[in-house]
Amino acid sequence: MTFVAPPGYQPIYSPRIPYTGPIYGGLRNGMSIYFQGRVDEQTTRFHVMLQCGEAENSDIALFFNPRFDGWDKVVFNSRQGDNWDSEEHTRDMPFVLGEAFEMVIMVTAEGYQLKVNGREFFTLPHRIPLERVCSMNISGDVSIQTINIIGGGNPGGQGGNPGGQGGYPGGQGGYPGGQGGYPGGQGGYPGGEGGYPGGQGGYPGGEGGYPGGQGGYPGGEGGYPGGEGGYPGGQGGMGVSTGS
């Protein structure tokens, strides 16, 4: 079966970072955003934000920020009316310096469920109404090869693209022939559950994702690039006020 991207959801290839772009039609329950990328060997940190607009001061529904600072961690938060909400974080770093990764943000009724290299990673409950989310921002020390927005009410299926429920043709929640993912597999790429061919949750022949083990991002103290202790645009930061 030939893959054909649905209207408004054509894959984005090798976007220039920093990247800001629309999510056509907004987000809805059952949609997923799929990323293929590579962590730079000298990475300090990067972020992915799902926003309620493309302006710098837009509210942020999901703020995802891996940091390498000797105490590797991934920070999650949201921002409303220029004020940051309560931060959540984990020191379970799923990325490896200098290596490729795949990441999926799945939109559920409960919140944003993240998988990295086929492995369940973290869920941030909804803090901002889902129907307000309409754009995405990626910035920092990361290279992105592909962004795919999957599912979400295009013609021909329930909640998705032609012929499938919640996803691409022929599959429930994903690409052709599979439930929740790419052809032939449940939740991922062909032949495997949750990941790439031949393995559960990752690349061929292995459990848990891309070859190479677990690691993290390189880092510095504080928050986003150039800010003290927090989010983009603090003192000397990236132009977004911390609100603190």
Side-chain angles (χ1 to χ4, degrees), residues 15-108:
R16 185 188 298 270
I17 305 298
Y19 166 82
T20 300
I23 300 172
Y24 295 104
L27 283 184
R28 291 174 293 284
N29 185 24
M31 293 177 67
S32 296
I33 307 174
Y34 169 78
F35 305 84
Q36 281 183 311
R38 186 177 186 85
V39 179
D40 299 341
E41 291 188 4
Q42 303 301 318
T43 293
T44 56
R45 59 197 66 194
F46 72 88
H47 70 246
V48 175
M49 299 190 294
L50 301 182
Q51 304 181 147
C52 303
E54 297 186 37
E56 287 188 357
N57 64 345
S58 297
D59 287 353
I60 300 169
L62 170 65
F63 171 75
F64 168 77
N65 176 216
R67 303 176 181 179
F68 265 100
D69 55 7
W71 296 87
D72 301 350
K73 65 179 179 180
V74 181
V75 170
F76 298 85
N77 209 337
S78 55
R79 188 183 68 184
Q80 304 181 63
D82 293 329
N83 295 314
W84 289 99
D85 297 318
S86 298
E87 178 181 295
E88 299 187 35
H89 68 268
T90 177
R91 296 198 182 276
D92 179 17
M93 177 62 74
F95 302 98
V96 180
L97 290 177
E99 293 197 7
F101 67 87
E102 66 166 0
M103 183 174 76
V104 181
I105 300 174
M106 295 180 291
V107 182
T108 71

Coordinates of all heavy atoms in Angstrom, one line a residue, residues 15-108:
P15 N 13.1 20.3 9.2 CA 12.8 21.7 9.5 C 14.0 22.4 10.1 O 14.8 21.8 10.8 CB 11.7 21.6 10.5 CG 11.9 20.3 11.2 CD 12.4 19.4 10.1
R16 N 14.1 23.6 9.7 CA 15.2 24.5 10.3 C 14.8 24.7 11.8 O 13.7 25.1 12.1 CB 15.3 25.8 9.6 CG 16.5 26.6 10.1 CD 16.4 28.0 9.4 NE 16.6 27.9 7.9 CZ 17.7 27.9 7.3 NH1 18.9 28.0 8.0 NH2 17.8 27.8 6.0
I17 N 15.8 24.5 12.7 CA 15.6 24.7 14.1 C 16.3 26.0 14.5 O 17.4 26.3 14.2 CB 16.2 23.5 14.9 CG1 15.7 22.2 14.5 CG2 16.0 23.7 16.4 CD1 14.2 22.0 14.7
P18 N 15.6 26.9 15.2 CA 14.3 26.8 15.8 C 13.2 26.8 14.8 O 13.2 27.5 13.8 CB 14.2 28.0 16.7 CG 15.1 29.0 16.1 CD 16.2 28.3 15.5
Y19 N 12.1 26.0 15.1 CA 11.0 25.8 14.2 C 9.7 26.2 14.9 O 9.5 25.8 16.1 CB 10.9 24.3 13.7 CG 9.6 24.0 13.1 CD1 9.3 24.3 11.8 CD2 8.5 23.4 13.8 CE1 8.1 24.0 11.2 CE2 7.3 23.1 13.2 CZ 7.1 23.4 11.9 OH 5.9 23.1 11.3
T20 N 8.9 27.0 14.3 CA 7.5 27.2 14.7 C 6.6 27.0 13.5 O 6.8 27.6 12.5 CB 7.4 28.7 15.3 OG1 8.3 28.8 16.4 CG2 5.9 28.9 15.8
G21 N 5.5 26.3 13.7 CA 4.6 26.0 12.7 C 3.2 25.7 13.2 O 3.0 25.3 14.3
P22 N 2.2 25.8 12.3 CA 0.8 25.5 12.7 C 0.5 24.0 12.8 O 1.2 23.2 12.2 CB 0.0 26.1 11.6 CG 0.9 26.0 10.4 CD 2.3 26.2 10.9
I23 N -0.4 23.6 13.6 CA -1.1 22.3 13.6 C -2.4 22.5 13.0 O -3.4 23.0 13.6 CB -1.2 21.7 15.0 CG1 0.2 21.6 15.7 CG2 -1.9 20.4 15.0 CD1 0.2 21.2 17.1
Y24 N -2.6 22.2 11.7 CA -3.8 22.5 10.9 C -5.0 21.8 11.5 O -5.0 20.6 11.7 CB -3.6 22.1 9.5 CG -2.5 22.9 8.8 CD1 -1.3 22.3 8.5 CD2 -2.7 24.2 8.4 CE1 -0.3 23.0 7.8 CE2 -1.8 25.0 7.8 CZ -0.5 24.4 7.5 OH 0.4 25.1 6.9
G25 N -6.0 22.6 11.8 CA -7.2 22.1 12.4 C -7.1 21.9 13.9 O -8.1 21.5 14.6
G26 N -6.0 22.1 14.5 CA -5.8 22.0 16.0 C -5.6 20.5 16.4 O -5.7 19.6 15.6
L27 N -5.5 20.3 17.7 CA -5.3 19.0 18.2 C -6.7 18.4 18.7 O -7.5 19.2 19.1 CB -4.4 19.0 19.4 CG -2.9 19.0 19.1 CD1 -2.1 18.9 20.4 CD2 -2.4 17.9 18.1
R28 N -6.8 17.1 18.6 CA -8.0 16.5 19.1 C -7.6 15.1 19.8 O -6.5 14.6 19.5 CB -9.0 16.2 18.0 CG -9.7 17.4 17.5 CD -10.5 17.2 16.3 NE -9.8 16.7 15.1 CZ -9.0 17.5 14.3 NH1 -8.9 18.8 14.6 NH2 -8.4 17.0 13.3
N29 N -8.4 14.7 20.6 CA -8.2 13.4 21.3 C -8.0 12.3 20.2 O -8.8 12.2 19.2 CB -9.4 13.0 22.2 CG -9.2 11.8 23.0 OD1 -8.0 11.4 23.2 ND2 -10.2 11.1 23.4
G30 N -7.0 11.5 20.4 CA -6.7 10.4 19.4 C -5.6 10.7 18.4 O -5.1 9.8 17.7
M31 N -5.2 12.0 18.4 CA -4.1 12.3 17.4 C -2.8 12.0 18.1 O -2.6 11.8 19.3 CB -4.2 13.8 17.1 CG -5.4 14.2 16.3 SD -5.6 16.0 16.0 CE -4.2 16.2 14.9
S32 N -1.8 11.9 17.2 CA -0.4 11.7 17.6 C 0.5 12.6 16.8 O 0.3 12.9 15.6 CB 0.0 10.3 17.5 OG -0.7 9.4 18.3
I33 N 1.6 13.0 17.4 CA 2.7 13.7 16.7 C 3.9 12.9 16.8 O 4.4 12.6 17.9 CB 2.9 15.1 17.3 CG1 1.6 15.9 17.3 CG2 3.9 15.9 16.4 CD1 1.7 17.3 18.0
Y34 N 4.5 12.5 15.6 CA 5.6 11.6 15.6 C 6.8 12.4 15.1 O 6.8 13.1 14.1 CB 5.3 10.5 14.6 CG 6.4 9.6 14.2 CD1 6.9 8.6 15.1 CD2 7.1 9.8 13.0 CE1 8.0 7.9 14.8 CE2 8.2 9.0 12.7 CZ 8.6 8.0 13.5 OH 9.7 7.3 13.2
F35 N 7.9 12.2 15.8 CA 9.2 12.8 15.5 C 10.3 11.8 15.3 O 10.4 10.8 16.0 CB 9.7 13.7 16.6 CG 8.7 14.8 17.1 CD1 7.7 14.4 18.0 CD2 8.8 16.1 16.6 CE1 6.8 15.4 18.5 CE2 7.9 17.0 17.1 CZ 6.9 16.7 18.0
Q36 N 11.1 12.0 14.2 CA 12.4 11.4 14.1 C 13.5 12.4 14.2 O 13.4 13.5 13.5 CB 12.5 10.6 12.8 CG 11.8 9.3 12.7 CD 12.0 8.6 11.3 OE1 11.9 9.3 10.3 NE2 12.4 7.4 11.4
G37 N 14.5 12.2 15.0 CA 15.5 13.2 15.1 C 16.8 12.6 15.6 O 17.0 11.4 15.7
R38 N 17.7 13.5 15.9 CA 19.0 13.1 16.4 C 19.5 14.1 17.5 O 19.4 15.3 17.3 CB 20.0 13.0 15.3 CG 21.4 12.5 15.7 CD 22.3 12.3 14.5 NE 23.6 11.7 14.8 CZ 23.7 10.4 14.9 NH1 22.7 9.6 14.5 NH2 24.9 9.9 15.2
V39 N 20.0 13.6 18.6 CA 20.5 14.5 19.6 C 22.0 14.8 19.3 O 22.8 13.9 19.0 CB 20.5 13.8 21.0 CG1 21.0 14.7 22.1 CG2 19.0 13.4 21.3
D40 N 22.3 16.1 19.2 CA 23.7 16.5 19.0 C 24.6 16.0 20.1 O 24.2 15.9 21.2 CB 23.8 18.0 18.9 CG 23.0 18.6 17.8 OD1 22.6 17.8 16.8 OD2 22.7 19.8 17.8
E41 N 25.9 15.7 19.7 CA 26.8 15.2 20.7 C 27.1 16.2 21.8 O 27.5 15.9 22.9 CB 28.1 14.7 20.0 CG 27.9 13.5 19.2 CD 29.3 12.9 18.6 OE1 30.3 13.5 19.0 OE2 29.3 12.0 17.9
Q42 N 27.0 17.5 21.4 CA 27.3 18.6 22.4 C 26.0 19.2 22.9 O 26.0 20.4 23.3 CB 28.2 19.6 21.7 CG 29.5 19.1 21.2 CD 30.3 18.4 22.3 OE1 30.4 19.0 23.4 NE2 30.9 17.3 22.0
T43 N 24.9 18.5 22.8 CA 23.6 19.0 23.3 C 23.7 19.5 24.7 O 24.3 18.9 25.6 CB 22.5 18.0 23.1 OG1 22.3 17.7 21.8 CG2 21.2 18.4 23.8
T44 N 23.1 20.7 25.0 CA 22.9 21.1 26.3 C 21.4 20.9 26.7 O 21.2 20.4 27.8 CB 23.3 22.6 26.5 OG1 22.5 23.4 25.6 CG2 24.8 22.8 26.3
R45 N 20.6 21.3 25.8 CA 19.1 21.0 26.1 C 18.3 21.4 24.8 O 18.9 22.1 23.9 CB 18.6 21.9 27.2 CG 18.8 23.4 27.0 CD 18.7 24.1 28.3 NE 19.8 23.8 29.2 CZ 19.8 24.1 30.5 NH1 18.8 24.7 31.0 NH2 20.8 23.7 31.2
F46 N 17.1 20.9 24.7 CA 16.2 21.3 23.6 C 14.8 21.3 24.2 O 14.6 20.8 25.3 CB 16.4 20.5 22.4 CG 15.8 19.1 22.4 CD1 14.5 18.8 22.1 CD2 16.7 18.0 22.8 CE1 14.0 17.5 22.2 CE2 16.2 16.7 22.8 CZ 14.9 16.5 22.5
H47 N 13.9 21.9 23.5 CA 12.5 21.8 23.9 C 11.5 21.6 22.7 O 11.8 22.0 21.6 CB 12.1 23.0 24.8 CG 12.0 24.3 24.0 ND1 12.8 25.3 24.2 CD2 11.1 24.7 23.1 CE1 12.5 26.4 23.4 NE2 11.4 26.0 22.7
V48 N 10.4 21.0 23.1 CA 9.2 20.9 22.2 C 8.1 21.5 22.9 O 7.8 21.1 24.1 CB 8.9 19.5 21.8 CG1 7.7 19.4 20.9 CG2 10.1 18.8 21.0
M49 N 7.4 22.5 22.3 CA 6.2 23.1 23.0 C 5.0 23.0 22.0 O 5.1 23.2 20.8 CB 6.5 24.5 23.3 CG 7.7 24.8 24.2 SD 7.8 26.5 24.8 CE 8.2 27.4 23.3
L50 N 3.9 22.6 22.6 CA 2.6 22.7 21.9 C 1.9 23.9 22.5 O 1.7 24.1 23.7 CB 1.8 21.4 22.2 CG 2.4 20.1 21.8 CD1 1.5 18.9 22.0 CD2 2.8 20.1 20.3
Q51 N 1.5 24.8 21.6 CA 1.1 26.2 21.9 C -0.3 26.5 21.5 O -0.8 25.9 20.6 CB 2.1 27.2 21.4 CG 3.6 26.9 21.8 CD 4.5 28.0 21.2 OE1 5.5 28.3 21.8 NE2 4.3 28.5 20.0
C52 N -0.8 27.6 22.0 CA -2.1 28.1 21.6 C -2.0 29.3 20.7 O -2.8 30.3 20.7 CB -2.9 28.5 22.9 SG -3.1 27.2 24.1
G53 N -1.0 29.2 19.8 CA -0.7 30.3 18.9 C 0.8 30.3 18.5 O 1.6 29.6 19.2
E54 N 1.2 31.1 17.6 CA 2.6 31.1 17.1 C 3.4 32.2 17.7 O 4.6 32.3 17.4 CB 2.6 31.1 15.6 CG 2.0 29.8 15.0 CD 2.2 29.7 13.5 OE1 3.3 30.1 13.0 OE2 1.3 29.3 12.8
A55 N 2.8 33.1 18.4 CA 3.5 34.2 19.0 C 4.3 33.8 20.2 O 4.0 32.7 20.9 CB 2.5 35.3 19.5
E56 N 5.4 34.5 20.6 CA 6.3 34.1 21.7 C 5.5 34.1 23.0 O 5.9 33.3 23.9 CB 7.5 35.1 21.7 CG 8.5 34.9 20.6 CD 9.7 35.7 20.9 OE1 9.8 36.5 21.9 OE2 10.7 35.6 20.1
N57 N 4.5 34.9 23.1 CA 3.8 35.0 24.4 C 2.5 34.1 24.4 O 1.7 34.3 25.3 CB 3.4 36.4 24.8 CG 2.5 37.1 23.8 OD1 2.3 36.5 22.7 ND2 1.9 38.2 24.1
S58 N 2.4 33.2 23.5 CA 1.2 32.3 23.4 C 1.2 31.4 24.7 O 2.3 31.0 25.2 CB 1.2 31.5 22.2 OG 1.1 32.3 21.0
D59 N 0.1 31.0 25.1 CA 0.0 30.0 26.2 C 0.6 28.7 25.7 O 0.5 28.4 24.5 CB -1.5 29.8 26.6 CG -2.0 31.0 27.4 OD1 -1.2 31.9 27.8 OD2 -3.2 31.0 27.7
I60 N 1.1 28.0 26.6 CA 1.8 26.7 26.2 C 1.1 25.6 26.9 O 1.1 25.5 28.2 CB 3.3 26.8 26.6 CG1 4.0 27.9 25.9 CG2 4.0 25.4 26.3 CD1 5.4 28.2 26.4
A61 N 0.5 24.6 26.2 CA -0.2 23.5 26.8 C 0.8 22.4 27.2 O 0.5 21.7 28.2 CB -1.2 22.9 25.8
L62 N 1.9 22.2 26.4 CA 2.9 21.2 26.8 C 4.2 21.8 26.5 O 4.6 22.2 25.4 CB 2.7 19.9 25.9 CG 3.8 18.9 26.1 CD1 3.9 18.3 27.5 CD2 3.7 17.8 25.0
F63 N 5.1 21.7 27.6 CA 6.4 22.2 27.5 C 7.3 21.0 27.9 O 7.2 20.5 29.0 CB 6.6 23.3 28.5 CG 8.0 23.8 28.7 CD1 8.7 24.6 27.8 CD2 8.7 23.5 29.9 CE1 10.0 25.0 28.0 CE2 9.9 24.0 30.1 CZ 10.6 24.7 29.2
F64 N 8.1 20.5 26.9 CA 8.9 19.3 27.1 C 10.4 19.7 26.9 O 10.7 20.2 25.8 CB 8.5 18.3 26.0 CG 9.4 17.1 25.9 CD1 9.4 16.1 26.8 CD2 10.2 17.0 24.8 CE1 10.2 15.0 26.7 CE2 11.1 15.9 24.6 CZ 11.1 14.9 25.6
N65 N 11.2 19.5 27.9 CA 12.5 20.1 27.9 C 13.6 19.1 28.5 O 13.8 19.1 29.7 CB 12.5 21.4 28.7 CG 13.8 22.1 28.9 OD1 14.1 22.6 29.9 ND2 14.7 22.0 27.9
P66 N 14.2 18.3 27.7 CA 15.4 17.5 28.2 C 16.6 18.4 28.5 O 16.9 19.3 27.7 CB 15.6 16.5 27.0 CG 14.4 16.5 26.2 CD 13.9 17.9 26.3
R67 N 17.2 18.2 29.6 CA 18.3 19.0 30.0 C 19.5 18.1 30.4 O 19.3 17.1 31.1 CB 18.0 19.9 31.2 CG 16.8 20.8 31.0 CD 16.4 21.6 32.3 NE 15.3 22.5 32.0 CZ 14.8 23.2 33.0 NH1 15.3 23.2 34.2 NH2 13.7 24.0 32.7
F68 N 20.7 18.5 30.0 CA 21.9 17.9 30.5 C 22.7 18.9 31.3 O 23.3 19.8 30.7 CB 22.8 17.5 29.3 CG 22.5 16.0 28.9 CD1 21.7 15.8 27.8 CD2 23.2 15.0 29.5 CE1 21.5 14.5 27.4 CE2 23.0 13.7 29.1 CZ 22.1 13.4 28.1
D69 N 22.8 18.6 32.5 CA 23.6 19.6 33.4 C 24.4 18.9 34.5 O 24.7 19.4 35.5 CB 22.6 20.6 34.0 CG 21.5 19.9 34.8 OD1 21.5 18.7 34.9 OD2 20.6 20.6 35.3
G70 N 24.7 17.6 34.2 CA 25.3 16.8 35.2 C 24.3 16.1 36.1 O 24.6 15.1 36.8
W71 N 23.1 16.6 36.1 CA 21.9 16.0 36.8 C 20.8 15.9 35.8 O 19.8 16.5 35.9 CB 21.5 16.9 38.0 CG 22.5 17.0 39.0 CD1 23.5 18.0 39.1 CD2 22.6 16.2 40.2 NE1 24.2 17.8 40.2 CE2 23.7 16.7 40.9 CE3 21.9 15.1 40.7 CZ2 24.1 16.1 42.1 CZ3 22.3 14.5 41.9 CH2 23.4 15.0 42.6
D72 N 21.1 15.0 34.8 CA 20.2 14.9 33.6 C 18.8 14.8 34.0 O 18.4 13.9 34.9 CB 20.6 13.8 32.7 CG 22.0 13.9 32.2 OD1 22.6 14.9 32.4 OD2 22.6 12.9 31.7
K73 N 17.9 15.5 33.4 CA 16.5 15.4 33.7 C 15.7 15.9 32.5 O 16.2 16.6 31.7 CB 16.1 16.2 35.0 CG 16.3 17.7 34.9 CD 15.8 18.3 36.2 CE 16.0 19.9 36.2 NZ 15.6 20.5 37.5
V74 N 14.4 15.6 32.5 CA 13.4 16.1 31.5 C 12.4 16.8 32.3 O 11.8 16.3 33.2 CB 12.8 15.0 30.7 CG1 11.9 15.5 29.7 CG2 13.9 14.2 30.0
V75 N 12.1 18.1 31.9 CA 11.2 19.0 32.6 C 9.9 19.1 31.7 O 9.9 19.2 30.5 CB 11.8 20.4 32.8 CG1 10.7 21.4 33.3 CG2 12.9 20.3 33.8
F76 N 8.7 19.1 32.4 CA 7.4 19.2 31.8 C 6.7 20.4 32.5 O 6.8 20.5 33.7 CB 6.6 18.0 31.9 CG 7.2 16.8 31.3 CD1 8.1 16.0 31.9 CD2 6.8 16.4 30.0 CE1 8.7 14.9 31.3 CE2 7.3 15.3 29.4 CZ 8.3 14.5 30.0
N77 N 6.0 21.2 31.7 CA 5.3 22.3 32.3 C 4.2 22.8 31.3 O 4.1 22.3 30.2 CB 6.2 23.4 32.8 CG 5.6 24.1 34.0 OD1 4.4 24.2 34.3 ND2 6.5 24.8 34.8
S78 N 3.5 23.8 31.7 CA 2.6 24.6 30.9 C 2.7 26.0 31.3 O 3.2 26.4 32.4 CB 1.2 24.0 31.0 OG 0.7 24.0 32.3
R79 N 2.2 26.9 30.5 CA 2.2 28.3 30.8 C 0.9 29.0 30.4 O 0.4 28.8 29.2 CB 3.3 29.1 30.1 CG 3.5 30.5 30.5 CD 4.6 31.2 29.7 NE 4.2 31.4 28.3 CZ 5.0 31.9 27.4 NH1 6.3 32.2 27.7 NH2 4.6 32.0 26.2
Q80 N 0.3 29.8 31.2 CA -1.0 30.4 31.0 C -0.9 31.9 31.4 O -0.5 32.2 32.5 CB -2.1 29.7 31.7 CG -2.2 28.3 31.4 CD -3.4 27.6 32.2 OE1 -4.6 27.9 31.9 NE2 -3.1 26.6 33.0
G81 N -1.2 32.8 30.5 CA -1.2 34.2 30.8 C 0.2 34.7 31.3 O 0.2 35.5 32.2
D82 N 1.3 34.2 30.7 CA 2.6 34.6 31.0 C 3.1 34.1 32.3 O 4.2 34.4 32.8 CB 2.8 36.2 31.0 CG 2.7 36.8 29.7 OD1 3.1 36.1 28.7 OD2 2.2 37.9 29.6
N83 N 2.3 33.2 33.0 CA 2.7 32.6 34.2 C 2.9 31.1 34.0 O 2.0 30.4 33.5 CB 1.6 32.8 35.3 CG 1.5 34.3 35.7 OD1 2.5 35.0 35.9 ND2 0.3 34.7 35.7
W84 N 4.1 30.6 34.5 CA 4.3 29.1 34.4 C 3.6 28.4 35.5 O 3.5 28.9 36.6 CB 5.8 28.9 34.5 CG 6.6 29.3 33.3 CD1 7.3 30.5 33.1 CD2 6.7 28.6 32.0 NE1 7.9 30.5 31.9 CE2 7.5 29.4 31.2 CE3 6.2 27.4 31.6 CZ2 7.9 29.0 29.9 CZ3 6.6 27.0 30.3 CH2 7.4 27.8 29.5
D85 N 3.1 27.2 35.1 CA 2.4 26.4 36.1 C 3.4 25.6 36.9 O 4.6 25.8 36.8 CB 1.4 25.5 35.4 CG 0.3 26.4 34.7 OD1 -0.2 27.3 35.3 OD2 0.0 26.0 33.5
S86 N 2.9 24.6 37.6 CA 3.8 23.8 38.5 C 4.6 22.8 37.6 O 4.0 22.1 36.7 CB 2.9 22.9 39.4 OG 2.2 23.8 40.3
E87 N 5.9 22.8 37.8 CA 6.8 22.0 37.0 C 6.8 20.5 37.5 O 6.7 20.3 38.7 CB 8.2 22.5 37.2 CG 9.3 21.7 36.5 CD 10.7 22.3 36.7 OE1 10.9 23.4 36.2 OE2 11.5 21.6 37.3
E88 N 6.8 19.7 36.5 CA 7.0 18.3 36.8 C 8.3 17.8 36.1 O 8.6 18.4 35.0 CB 5.9 17.4 36.3 CG 4.5 17.7 37.0 CD 3.4 16.8 36.7 OE1 3.7 15.6 36.5 OE2 2.3 17.2 36.6
H89 N 9.1 16.9 36.7 CA 10.3 16.4 36.0 C 10.6 15.0 36.3 O 10.1 14.5 37.3 CB 11.5 17.4 36.3 CG 11.9 17.3 37.8 ND1 11.4 18.1 38.7 CD2 12.8 16.5 38.4 CE1 12.0 17.8 39.9 NE2 12.8 16.8 39.7
T90 N 11.4 14.4 35.5 CA 11.9 13.1 35.8 C 13.4 13.0 35.4 O 13.9 13.7 34.5 CB 11.2 12.0 35.0 OG1 11.7 10.7 35.2 CG2 11.2 12.3 33.5
R91 N 14.2 12.2 36.2 CA 15.6 12.0 35.9 C 15.8 10.8 35.1 O 16.9 10.3 34.8 CB 16.4 12.0 37.2 CG 16.3 13.3 37.9 CD 17.5 13.5 38.9 NE 17.3 14.7 39.7 CZ 17.8 15.9 39.2 NH1 18.4 15.9 38.0 NH2 17.7 17.0 40.0
D92 N 14.7 10.2 34.6 CA 14.8 9.0 33.7 C 15.0 9.6 32.2 O 14.1 9.8 31.5 CB 13.5 8.2 33.7 CG 13.5 7.1 32.8 OD1 14.6 6.7 32.3 OD2 12.4 6.5 32.5
M93 N 16.3 9.8 31.9 CA 16.6 10.4 30.6 C 16.6 9.4 29.5 O 17.4 8.4 29.5 CB 18.0 11.1 30.6 CG 18.5 11.7 29.3 SD 17.4 13.0 28.7 CE 17.9 14.3 29.8
P94 N 15.7 9.5 28.5 CA 15.5 8.5 27.5 C 16.4 8.7 26.2 O 16.4 7.8 25.3 CB 14.1 8.6 27.1 CG 13.8 10.1 27.2 CD 14.6 10.5 28.4
F95 N 17.1 9.8 26.2 CA 17.9 10.1 25.0 C 19.4 9.8 25.2 O 19.9 9.8 26.3 CB 17.7 11.6 24.6 CG 16.3 12.0 24.4 CD1 15.6 12.6 25.4 CD2 15.7 11.7 23.1 CE1 14.2 12.9 25.2 CE2 14.4 12.1 22.9 CZ 13.6 12.7 23.9
V96 N 20.1 9.6 24.0 CA 21.5 9.3 24.1 C 22.3 10.3 23.2 O 21.9 10.5 22.0 CB 21.8 7.8 23.6 CG1 23.2 7.5 23.6 CG2 21.0 6.8 24.4
L97 N 23.3 10.9 23.7 CA 24.1 11.9 23.0 C 24.6 11.3 21.7 O 25.1 10.2 21.7 CB 25.3 12.3 23.8 CG 24.9 13.2 25.1 CD1 26.2 13.5 25.8 CD2 24.3 14.5 24.6
G98 N 24.4 12.0 20.6 CA 24.9 11.7 19.3 C 24.2 10.6 18.6 O 24.6 10.1 17.6
E99 N 23.0 10.2 19.2 CA 22.2 9.1 18.6 C 20.8 9.5 18.1 O 20.3 10.5 18.6 CB 22.1 7.9 19.6 CG 23.4 7.2 19.9 CD 23.2 5.9 20.5 OE1 22.1 5.4 20.6 OE2 24.3 5.3 20.9
A100 N 20.3 8.8 17.2 CA 19.0 9.0 16.6 C 17.9 8.6 17.7 O 18.2 7.8 18.6 CB 18.8 8.3 15.3
F101 N 16.7 9.2 17.5 CA 15.6 8.8 18.4 C 14.3 8.9 17.6 O 14.2 9.6 16.6 CB 15.5 9.7 19.6 CG 15.2 11.1 19.3 CD1 13.9 11.6 19.3 CD2 16.2 12.1 19.1 CE1 13.6 12.9 19.0 CE2 15.9 13.4 18.9 CZ 14.6 13.8 18.8
E102 N 13.3 8.2 18.1 CA 11.9 8.5 17.6 C 11.1 8.8 18.9 O 11.3 8.2 20.0 CB 11.3 7.3 16.9 CG 11.1 6.0 17.8 CD 10.3 5.0 17.1 OE1 9.8 5.2 16.0 OE2 10.0 3.9 17.7
M103 N 10.2 9.7 18.7 CA 9.3 10.2 19.8 C 7.9 10.4 19.3 O 7.7 10.9 18.2 CB 9.9 11.5 20.5 CG 9.1 11.9 21.7 SD 9.8 13.4 22.5 CE 9.3 14.7 21.3
V104 N 7.0 10.0 20.1 CA 5.6 10.2 19.8 C 4.9 10.9 21.0 O 5.0 10.4 22.1 CB 4.9 8.8 19.5 CG1 3.4 9.1 19.1 CG2 5.5 8.1 18.4
I105 N 4.2 11.9 20.7 CA 3.3 12.6 21.6 C 1.9 12.2 21.3 O 1.3 12.5 20.2 CB 3.4 14.1 21.6 CG1 4.8 14.5 21.9 CG2 2.4 14.7 22.6 CD1 5.1 16.0 21.8
M106 N 1.2 11.4 22.1 CA -0.1 10.9 21.9 C -1.1 11.7 22.7 O -0.9 11.9 23.9 CB -0.2 9.4 22.2 CG 0.6 8.5 21.3 SD 0.5 6.7 21.8 CE 1.4 6.7 23.3
V107 N -2.1 12.2 22.1 CA -3.1 13.0 22.7 C -4.3 12.1 23.2 O -4.9 11.4 22.4 CB -3.7 14.1 21.8 CG1 -4.7 14.9 22.5 CG2 -2.6 14.9 21.2
T108 N -4.4 12.0 24.5 CA -5.4 11.1 25.1 C -6.4 12.0 25.9 O -6.2 13.2 26.0 CB -4.8 10.1 26.1 OG1 -4.4 10.8 27.2 CG2 -3.7 9.4 25.4

